């Protein structure tokens, strides 16, 4: 009984700390001029966009999908009524670098492919505002070139890239503001799924015909396709883990 009470107290304290951190996150970011500008210029537009689709604003949960070949970044949010995601908006990607396929080493100019989350907010970026993703993740560490994977992959403003995802200053204001709102409302990890293309059966077959595809790349894309199709079917996210061989494992979220 005493052990249960101690666990309960510790859990309550942890939740309280997380809640307090979330509450102050927006306050801290509004001290930065570019975030204040984003709020002034974009808050009303975003509010109307959400309201027109029957969505709660500010958002409490975001999901971002990136398609390299189509050059589009999608923003989704939980609908609230049935616990499924609904698309908010498609943002055009200004420029890409490298080829279709994952990032495997520093300096290869590749935009990563796989399942990530936002791990950094930079309100003073060289590219206006930027959101870092947790590349290299565990899969990248297993499958990539050992000790030379690179890093600092961001969604950011501007229109230049050597492996990042630029969506112009105007659009990063919107995506950054939505991400700040989501974290302020308690979402600690905002998932970012990056695909070479929309991985339905037809498109994957076309990718294999168009590119000089080796067997390892085919297996990698087929593995990513499972995660793509899961969301297409259910409009919610699976639990994603990484196997010892670097492949992703998908299971029903608890």
């Amino acid at each position: 009984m005493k052990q249960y009470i101690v666990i309960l107290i510790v859990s309550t304290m942890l939740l309280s700390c997380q809640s307090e951190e979330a509450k102050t996150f927006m306050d801290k970011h509004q001290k930065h001029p570019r975030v204040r500008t984003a709020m002034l210029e974009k808050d009303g537009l975003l509010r109307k966009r959400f309201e027109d689709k029957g969505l709660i604003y500010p958002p409490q949960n975001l999901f971002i999908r990136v398609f390299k070949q189509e050059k589009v970044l999608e923003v989704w949010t939980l609908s609230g009524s049935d616990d499924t995601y609904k698309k908010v908006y498609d943002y055009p990607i200004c420029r890409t670098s490298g080829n279709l396929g994952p990032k495997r080493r520093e300096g290869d100019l590749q935009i990563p492919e796989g399942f990530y989350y936002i791990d950094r907010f930079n309100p003073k970026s060289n590219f206006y505002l930027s959101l870092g993703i947790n590349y290299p993740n565990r899969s990248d560490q297993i499958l990539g070139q050992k000790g030379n994977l690179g890093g600092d992959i961001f969604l950011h403003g501007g229109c230049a890239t050597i492996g990042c995802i630029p969506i112009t200053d105007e659009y990063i204001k919107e995506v950054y503001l939505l991400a700040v709102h989501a974290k302020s409302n308690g979402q600690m990890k905002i998932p970012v799924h990056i695909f070479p293309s929309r991985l339905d059966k037809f498109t994957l077959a076309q990718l294999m015909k168009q590119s000089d595809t080796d067997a390892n790349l085919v297996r990698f894309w087929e593995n990513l396709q499972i995660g793509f199709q899961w969301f297409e079917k259910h409009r919610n996210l699976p639990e994603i883990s990484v196997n010892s061989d670097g492949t992703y494992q998908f299971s029903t979220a608890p």
Side-chain angles (χ1 to χ4, degrees):
M1 183 67 180
K2 289 182 179 180
Q3 185 179 10
Y4 172 78
I5 294 173
V6 170
I7 292 172
L8 182 62
I9 292 172
V10 171
S11 299
T12 303
M13 291 174 64
L14 288 172
L15 288 171
S16 177
C17 289
Q18 290 178 350
S19 176
E20 188 61 31
E21 178 186 354
K23 287 179 182 177
T24 60
F25 191 76
M26 174 62 83
D27 295 336
K28 290 178 180 177
H29 273 258
Q30 283 187 319
K31 295 177 182 178
H32 296 281
R34 294 174 186 175
V35 180
R36 289 200 301 271
T37 297
M39 178 69 78
L40 288 170
E41 294 181 0
K42 301 295 185 177
D43 190 64
L45 179 152
L46 291 170
R47 184 179 298 276
K48 185 176 187 307
R49 186 177 293 158
F50 272 64
E51 289 175 351
D52 287 347
K53 296 187 176 185
L55 300 171
I56 298 171
Y57 188 84
Q60 298 186 10
N61 191 292
L62 289 183
F63 166 50
I64 295 172
R65 283 202 306 184
V66 173
F67 298 103
K68 290 161 59 172
Q69 182 165 258
E70 292 85 351
K71 293 186 178 179
V72 63
L73 181 151
E74 299 177 345
V75 173
W76 298 72
T77 188
L78 283 177
S79 62
S81 58
D82 56 2
D83 203 32
T84 58
Y85 281 90
K86 187 171 184 178
K87 188 189 292 184
V88 178
Y89 203 68
D90 287 340
Y91 292 94
I93 296 171
C94 187
R95 183 171 296 175
T96 59
S97 64
N99 302 308
L100 297 183
K103 184 175 182 63
R104 289 291 179 247
R105 61 179 176 83
E106 185 175 12
D108 61 6
L109 303 182
Q110 290 292 100
I111 296 170
E113 292 173 11
F115 302 96
Y116 303 94
Y117 59 85
I118 290 172
D119 65 352
R120 285 159 289 172
F121 288 71
N122 186 357
K124 298 187 287 185
S125 171
N126 290 334
F127 298 94
Y128 200 75
L129 297 166
S130 61
L131 298 165
I133 70 167
N134 67 316
Y135 170 87
N137 65 16
R138 181 58 182 156
S139 174
D140 299 317
Q141 291 167 6
I142 294 171
L143 298 176
Q145 183 173 319
K146 301 301 182 282
N148 193 29
L149 296 174
D152 288 338
I153 302 298
F154 288 88
L155 317 177
H156 61 62
C159 194
T161 180
I162 52 172
C164 294
I165 302 166
I167 58 171
T168 74
D169 292 356
E170 286 306 304
Y171 287 142
I172 195 61
K173 290 175 186 176
E174 297 181 20
V175 176
Y176 193 95
L177 184 59
L178 291 173
V180 171
H181 274 309
K183 184 160 185 178
S184 296
N185 284 326
Q187 187 179 12
M188 293 296 105
K189 290 184 178 180
I190 298 171
V192 180
H193 295 182
I194 307 176
F195 299 101
S197 185
R198 299 183 184 278
L199 292 177
D200 53 63
K201 292 182 180 180
F202 174 79
T203 305
L204 182 56
Q206 290 299 110
L207 283 178
M208 294 176 187
K209 290 179 182 179
Q210 293 170 6
S211 58
D212 184 15
T213 307
D214 62 34
N216 289 331
L217 185 54
V218 170
R219 284 193 293 270
F220 178 74
W221 283 343
E222 288 175 339
N223 186 221
L224 296 189
Q225 186 185 49
I226 298 171
F228 170 80
Q229 291 180 331
W230 184 298
F231 184 78
E232 290 294 289
K233 180 179 180 180
H234 301 289
R235 285 295 186 259
N236 59 36
L237 298 173
E239 285 287 309
I240 302 174
S241 56
V242 177
N243 297 318
S244 59
D245 63 355
T247 57
Y248 292 100
Q249 181 75 36
F250 307 91
S251 60
T252 304

